[in-house]
Amino acid sequence: MNSPKVVVEGLCKVFGTNPKQALNMLAGGATKEDVFAQTGQIVGVHNVSFEVKEGEIFVLMGLSGSGKSTLIRLINRLVEPSAGKVLIDGRDVAAVPRAELTALRRKDMSMVFQSFALMPQRTVLSNAAFGLEVAGVSRKEREQRAMTVLEQVGLAPFAEKLPAQLSGGMQQRVGLARALAVNPSLMIMDEAFSALDPLKRKEMQNVLLDLQREQQRTILFVSHDLEEAMRIGTRIAIMEGGKVVQVGTPQQIITNPADDYVRAFFEGIDTSRYLTAGDLMQTDAVPLMQHSQPIDASSVAATLNGSADYAFVLDGERKFRGFVCRDAMGSASPQLNHIECIRRTTPLDDVVERVVASRAPLPVVEADGSYCGSVNKTNVLNVLTRHRGSHV
Ligand SMILES: Nc1ncnc2c1ncn2[C@@H]1O[C@H](COP(=O)(O)OP(=O)(O)OP(=O)(O)O)[C@@H](O)[C@H]1O
Ligand SMILES: [Mg+2]
């Protein structure tokens, strides 16, 4: 079991002269608007709790002003909390002395912002090495390490160029390289790709996902774009008015949005693209038989129990072995039919193709081959009409 990298507990931030008063009002059920109307104070973050697991990309999403930037600044303590706490690697950030905090931020928590903040008179290499320079790493070593990350983000040939000679997307990669060069255990990215055009943005998302496959970092990523969140997020937290209203995997959020605020983010987006076989399968639609059980007409009839047309046959380890159909009941030794399984993680489009081509429902299995459910044409149709709406 992975221990959480970041734990946030009951975190609150009130911008104003009397946070206690505001917190009391909130505890009494007042809203962010009430607090502002009555005291002039602004609630940035209100009673937020969640955990970020080691190695995941945790995306904070929400409308402008919902508190995303404040929340990440509370985590790296650029902003002091009004209440609650933040643990990083089990350590209470509030207890870290000021002097150590700077080192912690520099080494363990790299930030990437929307604006590149590159130094125009320095080369790409020197910009990428800047974090290491501040940390006092020798020139030779920092340039070596910076070169390695420039290679990772595809910028090695541009190492000696100046930022102005690069496109916006490439400049953003330099920003990413600079953050990566210090090899932080936690990367914090606030709208890091938001200024890029859609194509460049997708390209940067791919760079990040490729890097993530090689070296799993913990990344806290702020975005106001649901499609970006869906593409890169292991889990997503949705914020509204300083609160976290839902935390879940992209699939959990699509299949079960907490409220209309969350649902509104899906408008105009074909959310079915993010679904997999596991999201639409049913676990009890097809009756199951054990392979050890004799497969004869009477056992098939008993399993089908009058209504089902198919039964799946599993072995003692719940691995899928084949299926029998109703027609087989007439035969003395019913035939075990072969059918190819679908992995739980197979994307919807591939599932659709397979299901449409098959008369029988298809078995869905885990990576190790163990059975987890079935999909049929109705499941596919339901999910398509629900998620694609007018896109169909
Ligand atoms: N230093 C500050 N002083 C006063 N109010 C602030 C301060 N920083 C943020 N706020 C307020 O806190 C709330 C949350 O702001 P925050 O910047 O965290 O939102 P955000 O979700 O990052 O928005 P955006 O998507 O526009 O970046 C807003 O109402 C904002 O006006
Ligand atoms: Mg912000």
Side-chain angles (χ1 to χ4, degrees):
M1 257 300 278
N2 280 347
S3 57
K5 178 75 189 170
V6 182
V7 177
V8 171
E9 275 174 20
L11 207 54
C12 297
K13 178 63 190 182
V14 176
F15 296 102
T17 48
N18 193 349
K20 278 237 156 60
Q21 173 199 28
L23 291 177
N24 283 337
M25 287 179 67
L26 290 169
T31 63
K32 173 176 168 148
E33 289 72 29
D34 298 335
V35 172
F36 183 69
Q38 289 172 40
T39 74
Q41 302 187 85
I42 297 172
V43 179
V45 165
H46 176 214
N47 200 16
V48 166
S49 302
F50 60 81
E51 290 185 1
V52 180
K53 293 178 202 139
E54 187 94 48
E56 77 175 333
I57 302 184
F58 192 88
V59 180
L60 289 174
M61 214 190 70
L63 295 180
S64 184
S66 58
K68 308 178 295 292
S69 296
T70 305
L71 181 53
I72 57 168
R73 289 192 189 117
L74 285 163
I75 290 173
N76 72 2
R77 221 166 170 86
L78 286 171
V79 167
E80 289 290 319
S82 308
K85 61 178 167 184
V86 176
L87 307 178
I88 293 179
D89 294 323
R91 194 169 176 209
D92 189 345
V93 181
V96 178
R98 276 267 146 219
E100 239 179 276
L101 198 58
T102 315
L104 182 79
R105 264 190 224 123
R106 211 179 269 153
K107 210 164 76 31
D108 291 329
M109 303 189 261
S110 269
M111 288 276 285
V112 187
F113 297 100
Q114 178 172 352
S115 63
F116 325 123
L118 300 179
M119 289 159 289
Q121 75 289 5
R122 286 182 172 225
T123 63
V124 164
L125 182 67
S126 164
N127 266 288
F130 183 68
L132 295 168
E133 184 178 336
V134 176
V137 175
S138 76
R139 186 186 183 108
K140 188 155 172 268
E141 192 190 335
R142 68 179 188 248
E143 291 193 343
Q144 255 170 15
R145 278 165 62 182
M147 202 59 204
T148 308
V149 291
L150 285 177
E151 270 159 23
Q152 287 170 345
V153 301
L155 281 185
F158 302 90
E160 296 310 320
K161 297 262 188 277
L162 292 173
Q165 296 171 288
L166 270 52
S167 71
M170 289 159 94
Q171 291 182 33
Q172 188 61 320
R173 286 192 200 206
V174 181
L176 182 61
R178 183 172 57 194
L180 289 168
V182 296
N183 197 22
S185 63
L186 176 63
M187 285 248 289
I188 299 178
M189 305 179 70
D190 193 354
E191 306 268 8
F193 305 154
S194 299
L196 304 173
D197 66 54
L199 271 180
K200 291 267 160 31
R201 190 168 182 170
K202 207 158 176 185
E203 194 182 297
M204 283 302 287
Q205 292 164 2
N206 289 338
V207 170
L208 191 71
L209 289 172
D210 286 346
L211 285 170
Q212 193 65 1
R213 266 188 282 277
E214 287 162 25
Q215 35 187 225
Q216 294 221 322
R217 292 166 194 283
T218 310
I219 301 176
L220 248 175
F221 193 104
V222 171
S223 179
H224 58 254
D225 175 9
L226 183 80
E227 294 203 88
E228 180 164 82
M230 293 288 169
R231 276 199 87 212
I232 66 166
T234 320
R235 288 190 304 148
I236 300 171
I238 298 190
M239 293 193 72
E240 179 187 17
K243 289 188 184 172
V244 168
V245 292
Q246 187 168 16
V247 180
T249 62
Q251 287 71 26
Q252 284 167 345
I253 289 178
I254 293 172
T255 48
N256 206 0
D259 58 19
D260 285 342
Y261 174 80
V262 177
R263 218 168 278 120
F265 283 103
F266 303 159
E267 227 141 81
I269 293 177
D270 174 8
T271 46
S272 68
R273 280 193 289 136
Y274 302 98
L275 299 177
T276 63
D279 297 315
L280 53 141
M281 71 182 186
Q282 288 174 286
T283 50
D284 55 4
V286 178
L288 302 174
M289 282 179 82
Q290 282 286 340
H291 197 27
S292 50
Q293 189 179 341
I295 299 180
D296 52 32
S298 68
S299 65
V300 171
T303 308
L304 294 179
N305 194 17
S307 58
D309 287 324
Y310 301 93
F312 287 164
V313 179
L314 309 184
D315 68 13
E317 292 171 327
R318 285 188 66 79
K319 299 252 161 54
F320 184 80
R321 284 288 163 254
F323 73 95
V324 288
C325 39
R326 175 162 290 280
D327 314 346
M329 276 164 45
S331 128
S333 54
Q335 198 188 342
L336 187 59
N337 303 285
H338 181 72
I339 192 169
E340 244 180 84
C341 297
I342 295 186
R343 282 275 195 93
R344 184 197 260 276
T345 51
T346 303
L348 180 68
D349 278 350
D350 300 339
V351 177
V352 172
E353 234 168 74
R354 299 269 314 275
V355 168
V356 167
S358 166
R359 231 156 51 85
L362 297 179
V364 181
V365 295
E366 302 286 2
D368 69 358
S370 57
Y371 177 79
C372 48
S374 64
V375 284
N376 62 21
K377 292 192 179 84
T378 312
N379 305 140
V380 166
L381 212 60
N382 280 344
V383 83
L384 287 183
T385 43
R386 189 146 28 96
H387 289 271
R388 284 192 185 164
S390 56
H391 300 277
V392 179

